[in-house]
Amino acid sequence: RPENFIFNAGQYGRFSLELDDVDPRGFKRPFTLCSSPLDDELMITTKIAELKSPFKKKLKSLEEGDKVTFFGPLGNFVLPEQSDRSIVLLAGGIGITPFHSMLRFASKTNYSIPTTLIASFSSIEETIFYDELTDITMQNSYLQAVYTITHQEESQNDWVGEKGRISEEMIKR
């Protein structure tokens, strides 16, 4: 993390890579800073299933010390400092990244607004941050993380949590 770099939990930045091949989407991509503003390192998370684009190929091949250009932080999708209502955060797959940043930050600052994350993944194997967010919610009674799996049949393991897509009924429950 660069010295004196300040951002809010949930913000993102545009990352640029020097590419050898032409990428139809260009040489820049937005990534959420999924670390907390209180962390010493910056972390981004992305899904690299198939390495079709030159950008993802280059991203996967990066080694410590390689040059990456960053513009940001950007965005105002952040936790409110005050609220008289509970907060419900809904995420699907890799869309969990801003909420990971927010809940990490909330846990380290004793955030006291009741906040529930409901995160949906296709299979158990695709879930990310499950153990960490479960630990965080056990340490702060104002925070809750609910994971749901939409395609249990594709999983190698049994799932005892919520199943199915996020619905009005699930949110109310």
Side-chain angles (χ1 to χ4, degrees):
R1 178 177 178 169
E3 191 174 327
N4 299 319
F5 180 75
I6 298 170
F7 69 100
N8 294 316
Q11 288 189 301
Y12 71 97
R14 279 197 307 267
F15 290 80
S16 304
L17 300 175
E18 293 181 16
L19 303 176
D20 297 329
D21 297 331
V22 176
D23 188 310
R25 290 180 52 203
F27 61 95
K28 300 177 188 176
R29 297 287 190 286
F31 289 105
T32 299
L33 302 171
C34 61
S35 46
S36 163
L38 302 175
D39 292 340
D40 292 334
E41 295 181 347
L42 291 180
M43 177 173 58
I44 64 167
T45 302
T46 188
K47 182 176 180 178
I48 302 181
E50 298 178 15
L51 295 175
K52 291 183 178 179
S53 77
F55 189 92
K56 290 269 178 118
K57 287 177 186 174
K58 178 71 171 186
L59 185 64
K60 187 169 182 179
S61 73
L62 289 176
E63 296 181 9
E64 188 171 335
D66 286 349
K67 183 179 177 182
V68 175
T69 304
F70 173 81
F71 179 78
L74 302 166
N76 57 9
F77 184 56
V78 297
L79 284 174
E81 292 180 20
Q82 297 178 13
S83 179
D84 57 353
R85 302 175 72 186
S86 297
I87 298 169
V88 177
L89 308 169
L90 305 177
I94 197 68
I96 195 173
T97 55
F99 304 131
H100 178 263
S101 173
M102 291 175 190
L103 292 181
R104 280 181 64 91
F105 180 75
S107 73
K108 293 179 180 182
T109 59
N110 296 319
Y111 194 71
S112 60
I113 299 171
T115 304
T116 300
L117 165 66
I118 304 175
S120 177
F121 293 89
S122 294
S123 66
I124 298 167
E125 292 77 15
E126 289 191 7
T127 62
I128 56 174
F129 306 129
Y130 178 82
D131 291 337
E132 180 184 3
L133 293 181
T134 298
D135 288 345
I136 284 173
T137 61
M138 293 176 78
Q139 296 170 19
N140 184 328
S141 62
Y142 289 101
L143 305 176
Q144 182 179 10
V146 177
Y147 279 64
T148 182
I149 303 299
T150 58
H151 294 95
Q152 168 63 41
E153 69 280 1
E154 295 176 10
S155 297
Q156 302 295 321
N157 301 300
D158 290 331
W159 179 254
V160 294
E162 292 284 338
K163 295 177 184 158
R165 298 194 180 280
I166 297 173
S167 65
E168 180 179 351
E169 177 185 319
M170 186 183 292
I171 294 169
K172 287 179 179 178
R173 198 170 52 248

